[in-house]
């Protein structure tokens, strides 16, 4: 078995599992309890918060723990919309956002908000000038992903953040796919709200956080207890949070650079084998601005579903795109946004994503198997 779908989810790092196991067995108290067990658990919670804040270069109380990327996106978008609807009801996003963002926008449209969906070019890229042209006095929120989860495209977040400094709109970015792969500086980039999920960085599923810039009115969706400084009700998933912090601590700048170089070499290896075997393929996305661990390829004449099925039977795990649309017969909205609904690439593309545990040898073997499978399928 070869797992090459790390953009969907990642295996937990052994050190993360050990940290979580220790927390579950030793620090099982409720962080909100006032007795010794609760105080010890609260200490672990705040230690984890500080680790994450330090890595991101922000203040500890700017980190709000939650259940992951979807909750972070929903909280940022819906919470901001409700809090600022008296000022305006116009929101800007893109046509290639994660479903957690797209569906939140559709929900708001039903409630009278006006959403501008910025288009992308055939490389799946966006210009900051498009945001500038779409801004209006009643624009209350701009939500644009840091990097696309299907193509790996890196969007011009820093440029967008810079132009928004002259506007009152709140700037949110879904950085779930980019976090741990790229250096991210919320203050320097002008980011007000930032969504992260632990399971994309070899941490556990079901936990993540929302960065909220200090001074920004907190967007709140869940009400109840006073956890997370009254910003997110519900007992914190302490073991998951500790595991997430451990995963974050392992992603030092040196490690991130090493991973980037390794994944770039893996991609070159795949391209080299495909070219040696004279396989007809196209790269979807912007080769000059993309995450190193994702490659999205079209194989003309070969349907993605058939290719995935054949590779799965041979022990290879890749995907067609976002895992949040798994089991859905709907085509990739990202590729549709890039090429149009009728373009062959929409039904002939697969995503390959590298990560922890992949080796040069297995990537080479995979590339050869991929080439044979594509060539055999086209006959």
């Amino acid at each position: 078995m070869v797992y090459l779908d790390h953009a969907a989810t990642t295996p937990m790092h052994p050190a993360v599992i050990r940290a979580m196991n220790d927390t579950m067995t030793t620090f099982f108290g409720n962080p909100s309890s006032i007795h010794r067990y609760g105080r010890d658990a609260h200490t672990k919670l705040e230690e984890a918060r500080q680790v994450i804040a330090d890595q991101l270069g922000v203040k500890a109380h700017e980190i709000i723990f939650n259940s992951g990327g979807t909750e972070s996106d929903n909280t940022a978008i819906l919470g901001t919309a409700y809090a600022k609807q008296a000022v305006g009801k116009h929101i800007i996003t893109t046509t290639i956002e994660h479903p957690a963002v797209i569906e939140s926008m559709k929900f708001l449209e039903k409630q009278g908000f006006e959403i501008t969906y910025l288009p992308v070019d055939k490389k799946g890229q966006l210009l900051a000038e498009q945001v500038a042209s779409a801004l209006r006095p009643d624009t209350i929120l701009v939500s644009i992903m840091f990097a696309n989860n299907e193509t790996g495209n890196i969007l011009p977040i820093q440029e967008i953040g810079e132009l928004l400094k002259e506007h009152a709109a709140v700037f949110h970015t879904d950085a779930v796919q980019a976090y741990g792969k790229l250096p991210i500086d919320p203050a320097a980039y002008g980011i007000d709200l930032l969504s992260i999920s632990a399971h994309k960085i070899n941490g556990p599923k079901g936990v993540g956080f929302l960065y909220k810039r200090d001074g920004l009115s907190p967007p709140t969706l869940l009400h109840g207890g006073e956890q997370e400084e009254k910003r997110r009700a519900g007992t914190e998933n302490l073991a998951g949070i500790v595991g997430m912090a451990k995963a974050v601590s392992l992603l030092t700048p040196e490690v991130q650079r090493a991973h980037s170089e390794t994944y770039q070499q893996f991609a070159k290896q795949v391209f080299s084998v495909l070219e040696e075997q004279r396989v007809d393929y196209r790269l979807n996305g912007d080769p000059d601005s993309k995450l190193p661990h994702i490659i999205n390829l079209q194989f003309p004449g070969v349907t993605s579903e058939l290719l995935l099925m054949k590779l799965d039977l041979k022990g290879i795990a890749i995907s067609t795109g976002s895992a949040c649309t798994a089991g859905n017969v709907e085509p990739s909205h990202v590729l549709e946004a890039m090429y149009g609904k009728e373009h062959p690439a929409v039904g002939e593309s697969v995503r390959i994503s590298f990560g922890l545990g992949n080796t040069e040898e297995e990537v080479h073997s995979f590339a050869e198997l991929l080439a044979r499978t594509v060539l055999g399928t086209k006959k």
Side-chain angles (χ1 to χ4, degrees):
M1 296 292 294
V2 178
Y3 185 76
L4 294 170
D5 196 20
H6 294 263
T9 196
T10 58
M12 280 201 291
H13 193 287
V16 170
I17 297 174
R18 289 194 295 271
M20 292 180 67
N21 184 62
D22 177 65
T23 301
M24 287 186 286
T25 55
T26 308
F27 301 94
F28 57 83
N30 188 321
S32 296
S33 298
I34 61 173
H35 50 60
R36 179 64 180 269
Y37 291 94
R39 295 198 305 274
D40 288 346
H42 182 76
T43 297
K44 292 290 289 186
L45 182 73
E46 295 310 316
E47 287 175 352
R49 198 188 310 275
Q50 191 64 59
V51 167
I52 292 168
D54 289 345
Q55 196 273 351
L56 203 56
V58 301
K59 301 171 185 175
H61 70 267
E62 293 178 313
I63 302 297
I64 305 171
F65 292 128
N66 55 34
S67 66
T70 294
E71 184 184 335
S72 287
D73 286 341
N74 274 257
T75 300
I77 294 166
L78 302 182
T80 300
Y82 296 151
K84 290 186 167 291
Q85 59 185 325
V87 177
K89 286 194 169 185
H90 180 238
I91 299 173
I92 298 171
T93 188
T94 78
T95 54
I96 60 169
E97 297 297 314
H98 187 276
V101 171
I102 294 289
E103 293 303 317
S104 294
M105 297 297 177
K106 291 180 179 178
F107 178 76
L108 286 175
E109 282 184 297
K110 295 177 181 178
Q111 299 185 50
F113 287 84
E114 182 183 351
I115 314 297
T116 296
Y117 296 91
L118 298 177
V120 294
D121 62 20
K122 291 189 181 299
K123 289 185 177 181
Q125 196 52 268
L126 178 82
L127 297 176
E129 288 77 9
Q130 291 175 256
V131 178
S133 297
L135 280 172
R136 303 183 336 204
D138 63 336
T139 304
I140 58 172
L141 172 67
V142 175
S143 180
I144 296 176
M145 65 191 344
F146 206 107
N148 186 261
N149 52 300
E150 293 192 28
T151 64
N153 276 10
I154 301 169
L155 302 183
I157 295 301
Q158 189 168 6
E159 295 175 47
I160 295 169
E162 188 63 32
L163 71 87
L164 286 175
K165 289 180 180 178
E166 304 301 321
H167 195 282
V170 173
F171 185 25
H172 165 251
T173 183
D174 178 336
V176 168
Q177 200 62 240
Y179 186 64
K181 314 297 189 306
L182 300 172
I184 298 175
D185 187 334
Y189 292 1
I191 297 169
D192 298 308
L193 297 165
L194 178 141
S195 300
I196 298 297
S197 190
H199 77 103
K200 304 291 188 178
I201 57 168
N202 306 111
K205 297 174 181 64
V207 65
F209 67 85
L210 176 68
Y211 157 77
K212 180 194 73 69
R213 176 181 57 79
D214 203 13
L216 184 70
S217 298
T220 303
L221 286 188
L222 298 184
H223 303 275
E226 298 185 357
Q227 294 88 354
E228 298 302 292
E229 298 182 5
K230 301 182 181 181
R231 300 172 299 181
R232 196 272 188 181
T235 300
E236 293 94 345
N237 175 6
L238 182 61
I241 290 168
V242 170
M244 175 169 59
K246 185 62 179 179
V248 167
S249 72
L250 297 171
L251 290 172
T252 64
E254 295 74 22
V255 167
Q256 290 187 44
R257 283 194 294 270
H259 284 175
S260 178
E261 292 172 3
T262 297
Y263 301 151
Q264 287 173 356
Q265 289 304 313
F266 286 170
K268 289 179 181 179
Q269 196 169 22
V270 172
F271 298 148
S272 177
V273 170
L274 292 176
E275 288 160 10
E276 287 174 4
Q277 299 297 321
R278 298 183 179 179
V279 176
D280 185 16
Y281 75 92
R282 308 283 188 276
L283 176 67
N284 298 314
D286 185 354
D288 298 321
S289 182
K290 67 182 295 297
L291 295 173
H293 71 300
I294 296 176
I295 51 176
N296 193 304
L297 303 177
Q298 177 198 1
F299 295 100
V302 179
T303 64
S304 52
E305 289 80 8
L306 181 58
L307 181 56
L308 258 63
M309 181 180 68
K310 288 190 172 185
L311 290 174
D312 183 50
L313 291 173
K314 296 174 182 178
I316 304 295
I318 59 174
S319 70
T320 54
S322 174
C324 294
T325 56
N328 193 334
V329 295
E330 294 297 319
S332 164
H333 72 283
V334 174
L335 296 182
E336 284 187 343
M338 291 165 59
Y339 301 123
K341 292 185 177 182
E342 304 303 320
H343 195 282
V346 174
E348 298 175 344
S349 299
V350 296
R351 180 185 67 184
I352 302 158
S353 49
F354 312 110
L356 180 69
N358 292 143
T359 65
E360 184 177 345
E361 291 74 20
E362 70 178 9
V363 170
H364 185 79
S365 297
F366 155 73
E368 292 185 328
L369 179 59
L370 174 64
R372 291 197 300 271
T373 304
V374 170
L375 293 173
T377 302
K378 293 186 70 171
K379 290 181 179 179

